Amino acid sequence: MNKIASFTTSSVGRKLLMGLTGFFLCSFLLVHLYLNLFLLKQDRGSTFDSYADFMATYPLIRPLEIILFAGFLLHAFVGVWLWIANRLARPVRYAVNRPSENSTLSSRTAFWTGTFVLIFLVIHVNTFFVSSRFFPSGISMYERVCEAFQSPLYVSFYLVALAFLAYHLKHGVQSAFQTFGLKRKKYETLITATALVFWLMLPIAFAVLPLYFLLAH
Amino acid sequence: MSGTMTITLNVWRQRDRNSEGRFALYTLPNVSPDMSFLEMLDLLNLDLVRKGEEAIAFDHDCREGICGTCSLYINGRAHGPLKGVTACQLHMRTFHDGDSITIEPWRAKPFPVIRDLVVDRSAFDRIMAAGGFVSVRTGGAPDANTIPIPKPVAEEAMDAAACIGCGACVAACKNGSAMLFVAAKVSQLALLPQGHAERARRVESMVAQMDAEGFGACSNTYACEAECPKQISVTHIARLNSEYLRANLT
Ligand code: FES
């Protein structure tokens, strides 16, 4: 027990937790995208809705939902914890500082891009998940998606959030590989390619859907 | 004098650990481009002493980039604008006539300012004392090459051993993290067979001491590698992370 406590409160241990939850959330994004792509199937959403029903009713999905929720909370909690501790490590700031000379903007702003993504998530979960799960009104998930994605305001917000997500993952994915000690010369190409799939291709694929609904309907 | 420069300096002055500090502005004429940055500060100090003012305290020893004592945050960069050099190896030819230069001490909670530009870096010594060594019997020096070590491993360990412990990694990191320093030490000894016996205990103790000193956690911005005068690679941080994971899983 002592070992687990010292591990999770140590700086390296917390980093590893960030990386682990980060990888887990990325894997969820893949599943989410896979299901979202059924929105493009020309069957007025019947395949998409059948998946949505499955997710809402199949008993084994419940514990997975809880694990996923815990994953988000842990990632955000450890992130805030690290951010506060890191701020405290420099109580007096530099009068002149030029961080752009030594690091990327995405790496320095991971906390803020993550915060925006979290705000988006609360709204997003409320729009699609909370209302359908806890206040079912006979409207199918496909209809909810159609409605939300026909509002230019919601679509704009969604796209901005995806841009923030992309920027967050631009730092996050390769950073998680580094945290797990995998970022070595021989894996460099593999890591760059994997990172590119997650930070660039995945958000673009997500962005296609609201644009399709907005423009095609 | 022809070819000399006039430089405006904005220097952090602080009496001691507990006093409030402030910036003081100095104009220094007759700066030769061939002077090192520290020689330029010597010139300024000479001037101040002549005027009966307190000289500016700054750390220095070897003045040839090997001891890691000099520690100046120059115009927003650890050790100044050049890559792979310490402040003592920086020359005034990097600057131009009429330039103004802001000089600050390293800023981090575990590196308190003792006076002007001098900070207390004994936190690094305590991290080293926690595990940055191999326990061996003293006695005659062992024969060279009695333990064969593959060349690439020896090279990698040597790269880590190039760390001079100046603290630029902490100074440049937005989180005030000492992870590049600790990683260099852990990595160097983890790579070599002599370091294997104490491998797990070492990484745990050094990380625990690093945290106890109040250094921040690495968030992989890699500013440390970019500012390190010895260009220690963040690959060593990756190794520190896996060493830590290994020590905790076994
Ligand atoms: S004074 Fe020794 S490295 Fe600069």
Side-chain angles (χ1 to χ4, degrees):
Chain A
M1 190 60 218
N2 237 349
K3 197 143 182 165
I4 297 176
S6 72
F7 178 82
T8 45
T9 51
S10 84
S11 53
V12 183
R14 277 179 282 167
K15 260 170 67 121
L16 285 160
L17 274 181
M18 281 308 272
L20 192 69
T21 48
F23 274 144
F24 171 61
L25 297 178
C26 277
S27 68
F28 159 71
L29 279 181
L30 281 180
V31 178
H32 191 330
L33 176 66
Y34 171 73
L35 296 179
N36 273 18
L37 290 177
F38 286 108
L39 285 167
L40 296 176
K41 204 171 172 194
Q42 300 301 315
D43 60 358
R44 302 212 48 78
S46 75
T47 317
F48 179 76
D49 277 337
S50 65
Y51 275 112
D53 282 345
F54 172 78
M55 291 303 226
T57 50
Y58 193 65
L60 272 183
I61 300 292
R62 284 300 80 71
L64 287 180
E65 252 173 25
I66 293 166
I67 294 171
L68 178 65
F69 194 62
F72 273 112
L73 280 186
L74 197 60
H75 193 73
F77 174 75
V78 180
V80 172
W81 185 10
L82 279 171
W83 184 77
I84 294 172
N86 288 347
R87 298 280 294 189
L88 293 176
R90 176 159 299 134
V92 182
R93 313 203 78 75
Y94 291 109
V96 179
N97 201 13
R98 306 180 66 166
S100 59
E101 302 280 344
N102 58 35
S103 50
T104 58
L105 187 64
S106 62
S107 72
R108 295 193 307 272
T109 53
F111 174 79
W112 297 109
T113 49
T115 305
F116 189 88
V117 171
L118 185 66
I119 294 170
F120 163 76
L121 267 180
V122 173
I123 298 171
H124 181 68
V125 166
N126 185 46
T127 313
F128 293 112
F129 177 78
V130 176
S131 51
S132 75
R133 174 65 52 83
F134 301 109
F135 311 101
S137 53
I139 308 172
S140 77
M141 191 55 96
Y142 184 79
E143 285 162 345
R144 277 178 206 279
V145 172
C146 283
E147 192 192 318
F149 286 169
Q150 271 159 35
S151 147
L153 191 71
Y154 190 85
V155 170
S156 318
F157 175 59
Y158 193 90
L159 293 179
V160 171
L162 282 175
F164 272 91
L165 175 69
Y167 213 55
H168 189 70
L169 295 182
K170 187 173 192 287
H171 169 68
V173 178
Q174 58 79 28
S175 179
F177 280 109
Q178 163 79 357
T179 297
F180 280 96
L182 298 168
K183 214 163 169 233
R184 313 249 171 94
K185 267 252 146 17
K186 57 178 173 183
Y187 304 135
E188 212 168 86
T189 328
L190 189 68
I191 291 175
T192 314
T194 315
L196 203 71
V197 168
F198 278 99
W199 83 260
L200 191 63
M201 319 247 277
L202 204 90
I204 289 178
F206 268 110
V208 165
L209 301 157
L211 288 175
Y212 167 77
F213 276 92
L214 188 68
L215 302 174
H217 287 71
Chain B
M1 238 193 284
S2 70
T4 61
M5 311 184 284
T6 298
I7 304 283
T8 307
L9 293 157
N10 194 23
V11 184
W12 183 259
R13 305 295 317 254
Q14 185 172 333
R15 258 216 93 63
D16 54 41
R17 199 184 278 250
N18 302 317
S19 321
E20 282 271 309
R22 60 176 179 84
F23 279 101
L25 209 61
Y26 305 99
T27 306
L28 188 65
N30 301 328
V31 175
S32 157
D34 295 331
M35 279 177 179
S36 76
F37 197 83
L38 301 191
E39 282 168 337
M40 180 275 295
L41 286 178
D42 291 339
L43 189 71
L44 173 63
N45 273 344
L46 214 59
D47 206 39
L48 291 177
V49 171
R50 273 198 201 113
K51 287 189 210 150
E53 290 175 37
E54 273 293 332
I56 298 164
F58 62 93
D59 256 336
H60 58 99
D61 190 10
C62 72
R63 296 204 176 198
E64 54 183 7
I66 54 168
C67 74
T69 310
C70 56
S71 49
L72 300 173
Y73 211 74
I74 302 162
N75 276 351
R77 306 278 304 276
H79 290 300
L82 297 187
K83 269 204 181 312
V85 294
T86 50
C88 61
Q89 290 178 299
L90 178 67
H91 285 80
M92 293 312 294
R93 53 181 164 267
T94 311
F95 300 93
H96 302 103
D97 188 25
D99 273 1
S100 86
I101 305 173
T102 299
I103 314 174
E104 295 171 78
W106 286 171
R107 295 286 190 202
K109 189 166 154 260
F111 285 169
V113 174
I114 308 172
R115 189 181 181 89
D116 298 335
L117 301 168
V118 181
V119 296
D120 177 359
R121 280 171 285 179
S122 55
F124 270 12
D125 300 335
R126 290 187 290 274
I127 295 175
M128 288 305 278
F133 50 81
V134 286
S135 308
V136 287
R137 285 172 197 276
T138 52
D143 284 343
N145 300 325
T146 43
I147 307 170
I149 299 164
K151 182 75 174 155
V153 176
E155 286 288 339
E156 180 91 2
M158 199 60 200
D159 286 348
C163 168
I164 52 176
C166 64
C169 44
V170 176
C173 174
K174 78 174 182 62
N175 309 320
S177 168
M179 234 171 254
L180 189 63
F181 166 75
V182 177
K185 305 303 175 191
V186 165
S187 183
Q188 177 199 334
L189 297 176
L191 282 162
L192 299 175
Q194 292 90 334
H196 280 189
E198 292 157 303
R199 200 171 175 176
R201 206 201 66 198
R202 174 181 307 114
V203 67
E204 287 183 323
S205 316
M206 289 182 85
V207 167
Q209 189 61 38
M210 168 178 85
D211 291 347
E213 296 290 346
F215 291 104
C218 168
S219 63
N220 302 330
T221 70
Y222 311 139
C224 52
E225 178 185 290
E227 300 293 20
C228 173
K230 297 297 155 188
Q231 300 184 296
I232 310 274
S233 162
V234 291
T235 316
H236 296 293
I237 300 187
R239 188 171 291 108
L240 168 77
N241 297 335
S242 54
E243 281 291 311
Y244 190 79
L245 195 60
R246 193 173 177 275
N248 274 279
L249 290 180
T250 51

